[in-house]
Amino acid sequence: MSEMRFVLLTRKSGASHSTVVLLIGLIAASLMVLTLFWLGFDAVAALRDRSLSTLPEAGLISDLGILLMAVAAVAAAIAAWKRSDLPLATLALFCCLFAVDDAFLIHEALGPWQAAFFAIYGLLALLVFVLFSKTASRLSWPIFMAIAVFVASVSVDLFWGLLVALLPLSSNLEGFLLRLGFVLEDVPKFGGIFVMASCAIGEAVLRSPKQE
């Protein structure tokens, strides 16, 4: 049980434990990217949705993130139903929306309405954070850290391409920076997914209604 507690979080987990889990997620994503690159595969294609490339490695890391968020949604929903727990129900809704969005590329298809969709994400994430913090009677570090890295990922998604377009660059350098942008967007996102999934699964596995 102690080994499981090391890699799983609950709403009452502190900053140090949450930071360790976040680092595990970031390192795992980075190692997958570096390993694919070293083996000669397209790591960027692996980070992005499989429908965007015909390469065999396309969507490998993206699909793993979707799977983790789907598992998190189910775990949080089951725990919420058993305990009549509103914060966990809201977390399940957030994880479900996240997984469905990533699986079907909803926000990418919205064009100029992307910002509005991200605003809905932000409001829902804020609601999750407020409810978790209120229940724990202190700052909910797992949710805070996950949201922080999601914000960083969304910021790269929205502004990296615009920034690169403003710079006087050669086509080769511009192409490299654009591909780097996908890494800077998706590696933090995977870290946030890892933290969110750890928290949802931890709430379902490590806690009982008597501990509420």
Side-chain angles (χ1 to χ4, degrees), residues 132-201:
F132 264 67
S133 298
K134 183 178 179 181
T135 304
S137 299
R138 65 176 184 175
L139 181 67
S140 181
W141 282 103
I143 303 301
F144 173 77
M145 288 190 176
I147 292 173
V149 291
F150 287 151
V151 168
S153 174
V154 169
S155 298
V156 174
D157 185 17
L158 292 175
F159 302 115
W160 183 264
L162 297 175
L163 177 61
V164 171
L166 293 174
L167 299 175
L169 304 170
S170 66
S171 58
N172 287 339
L173 182 55
E174 181 178 0
F176 170 77
L177 289 177
L178 288 175
R179 286 175 62 81
L180 177 62
F182 293 121
V183 176
L184 296 177
E185 174 189 349
D186 289 325
V187 168
K189 183 172 78 171
F190 188 90
I193 288 172
F194 194 81
V195 172
M196 196 74 84
S198 170
C199 184
I201 297 169

Side-chain angles (χ1 to χ4, degrees), residues 31-51:
L31 286 176
M32 285 188 285
V33 168
L34 292 173
T35 300
L36 287 168
F37 178 78
W38 182 70
L39 293 174
F41 294 106
D42 190 331
V44 171
L47 285 167
R48 307 192 71 198
D49 187 85
R50 66 172 56 254
S51 66

Side-chain angles (χ1 to χ4, degrees), residues 94 97 110 113-127:
F94 178 86
L97 176 63
L110 294 178
W113 292 99
Q114 255 191 78
F117 191 80
F118 282 137
I120 295 173
Y121 258 134
L123 290 173
L124 185 56
L126 180 61
L127 179 60

Side-chain angles (χ1 to χ4, degrees), residues 11 72-73 75-77 79-81 83-95 124-137 140 143 196 199-200 203 207 212:
R11 72 190 78 187
W81 178 71
R83 305 176 199 170
S84 299
D85 188 307
L86 180 59
L88 281 173
T90 311
L91 178 63
L93 177 61
F94 178 86
C95 292
L124 185 56
L126 180 61
L127 179 60
V128 173
F129 174 68
V130 169
L131 290 174
F132 264 67
S133 298
K134 183 178 179 181
T135 304
S137 299
S140 181
I143 303 301
M196 196 74 84
C199 184
E203 284 285 332
R207 304 187 69 186
E212 297 295 328

